[in-house]
Amino acid sequence: MADLVLSLVIWVLVITSIRRGLRQSKPVDRYALLTWTIFISIAIAVSMRVESLAAVINRPFGGRPAAHWLSVTFSLNVAVCYALSLHILARDRQIPRQSEKLHLALIYCAPLVFVLMVLVMALRLAGQITVLSTFYMLRWLLEVYALPLIVRVFIPINTWLFRHELVAPMRVRHLAMLVFCWTCAASAVLAILFIPPILLTGVDNPLPSLVPRAMVAGGCLFVILIPHHWMIRLSLPLQLYRYFRVAAFESYLQRQVFFEREPFRWRHILRPQYVEGMTYVSVINLLDHYEELKPHDPWRQRIEKLLLQYSNYDDLIKALGSVNR
């Protein structure tokens, strides 16, 4: 049931994202096509885990794990397409990479992994290996391929993107991707270590699946796929908190030095753009008039200290909002 709900949610988000992307970006570039291919492949891979759908797909193959093979194959496609998209992004934005040659080599290894997966499924169809062995051999091949890709490519590039991103909703998305990557890496390590004993003994155990990857991945994908304006609305409480902190600072300054303040219109309190604009106005008032305070005024000294510490506007707002009155 959980897989079915997760699958439906992902399909809704994917279709919504693609429709929104088609309206906003014309013509569609290669990076956008790769991104949509990634999310469609994720949706298909998750759908293949729904028991009712898997049963329908497996029936023509005599109950053999065809659905699992499709799930693993589309997961491989996700890894390759994401590696390609990061290669394009790193080249265009000149993102430093630990090894560009390794990045490309891992992409070029994907066809070999796919051939091995086809071979495993052929052995199962020929009755040479059991369903259990097929299931774990396919997963082991995928994890062995994915682990170096995650550790040496996905995590370093996404870490760089997270550190250099200034837009808060995009930082949240990069953080979600990092959580997803670290979760997949931990899951891959367990699978690589504990699947071989299962293949040797033929006895199943839960050790390769100790990491709750599906639950974490579902949450991260939801964060990555939800529309940008939803993310902005979710950040409204934090925006309001920072505005009222800065406005209190501004109010103190007005009592010491006369200037006109723009009144806050409460009917617009649920509009993130308005709150952001009012915060900007308050900060400008502070910067325009703080020098009129006496040289030894503690508030003037605090502002001067913050201006030396923070040259970025967003960082300055965060700092002003955290100053204790």
Side-chain angles (χ1 to χ4, degrees):
M1 185 63 183
D3 287 337
L4 177 60
V5 173
L6 179 61
S7 176
L8 291 174
V9 170
I10 291 175
W11 274 113
V12 169
L13 290 173
V14 167
I15 293 171
T16 303
S17 299
I18 291 176
R19 287 182 60 188
R20 188 172 63 251
L22 286 172
R23 288 196 303 266
Q24 295 176 355
S25 58
K26 294 181 181 179
V28 178
D29 58 16
R30 182 171 58 167
Y31 186 79
L33 287 174
L34 280 171
T35 302
W36 296 344
T37 301
I38 290 167
F39 290 126
I40 291 172
S41 297
I42 290 174
I44 294 174
V46 174
S47 298
M48 292 301 104
R49 300 178 183 224
V50 178
E51 292 184 4
S52 56
L53 181 58
V56 173
I57 295 173
N58 290 334
R59 193 174 299 123
F61 297 91
R64 296 174 176 85
H68 179 67
W69 184 86
L70 286 172
S71 178
V72 173
T73 301
F74 277 100
S75 298
L76 174 66
N77 190 53
V78 170
V80 176
C81 289
Y82 188 52
L84 283 169
S85 68
L86 286 182
H87 176 66
I88 296 171
L89 186 65
R91 183 191 60 198
D92 293 345
R93 296 183 59 176
Q94 298 182 339
I95 299 174
R97 282 174 282 182
Q98 294 177 348
S99 175
E100 183 177 359
K101 291 183 178 179
L102 176 63
H103 189 160
L104 292 173
L106 288 168
I107 294 174
Y108 294 144
C109 284
L112 174 60
V113 178
F114 175 72
V115 170
L116 292 174
M117 289 178 176
V118 172
L119 179 60
V120 170
M121 194 61 190
L123 290 172
R124 174 55 198 156
L125 292 174
Q128 300 298 309
I129 55 178
T130 64
V131 172
L132 182 70
S133 296
T134 305
F135 179 89
Y136 280 113
M137 286 176 70
L138 290 172
R139 182 179 171 188
W140 192 81
L141 286 171
L142 177 64
E143 305 290 17
V144 166
Y145 173 75
L147 184 59
L149 200 56
I150 294 170
V151 173
R152 297 299 301 277
V153 178
F154 295 173
I155 291 176
I157 292 179
N158 277 287
T159 300
W160 188 92
L161 291 170
F162 174 75
R163 289 174 177 172
H164 290 80
E165 182 58 65
L166 300 178
V167 180
M170 291 304 299
R171 280 179 62 86
V172 173
R173 285 191 169 92
H174 291 314
L175 180 60
M177 180 55 72
L178 280 172
V179 172
F180 177 57
C181 288
W182 279 109
T183 302
C184 288
S187 178
V189 169
L190 290 180
I192 292 169
L193 290 176
F194 295 117
I195 284 179
I198 295 175
L199 296 175
L200 291 172
T201 63
V203 179
D204 197 1
N205 68 69
L207 293 177
S209 303
L210 284 179
V211 176
R213 180 167 59 179
M215 294 177 58
V216 175
C220 292
L221 285 173
F222 179 78
V223 172
I224 293 168
L225 286 172
I226 59 175
H228 186 78
H229 63 275
W230 289 13
M231 295 280 286
I232 293 176
R233 289 195 176 278
L234 290 173
S235 66
L236 181 59
L238 180 59
Q239 285 183 313
L240 286 169
Y241 171 78
R242 286 176 177 164
Y243 165 72
F244 287 121
R245 296 279 292 186
V246 173
F249 209 159
E250 182 192 19
S251 177
Y252 168 82
L253 181 62
Q254 186 192 35
R255 291 195 297 271
Q256 308 301 316
V257 180
F258 177 77
F259 63 90
E260 292 187 5
R261 292 180 64 197
E262 183 174 343
F264 186 85
R265 293 176 174 81
W266 291 93
R267 64 179 181 275
H268 298 317
I269 193 171
L270 297 180
R271 292 175 53 193
Q273 295 85 353
Y274 175 76
V275 177
E276 183 179 1
M278 288 298 296
T279 305
Y280 175 79
V281 170
S282 294
V283 171
I284 293 301
N285 282 335
L286 288 174
L287 299 182
D288 285 346
H289 299 286
Y290 81 92
E291 290 181 333
E292 298 176 32
L293 292 170
K294 296 178 181 180
H296 299 294
D297 187 288
W299 288 102
R300 174 172 176 168
Q301 292 178 356
R302 288 182 183 180
I303 294 178
E304 289 175 342
K305 183 178 179 181
L306 292 176
L307 286 174
L308 291 174
Q309 286 182 295
Y310 304 100
S311 58
N312 180 270
Y313 172 75
D314 290 332
D315 292 337
L316 179 60
I317 287 180
K318 293 176 186 177
L320 288 169
S322 63
V323 172
N324 293 322
R325 296 191 294 277

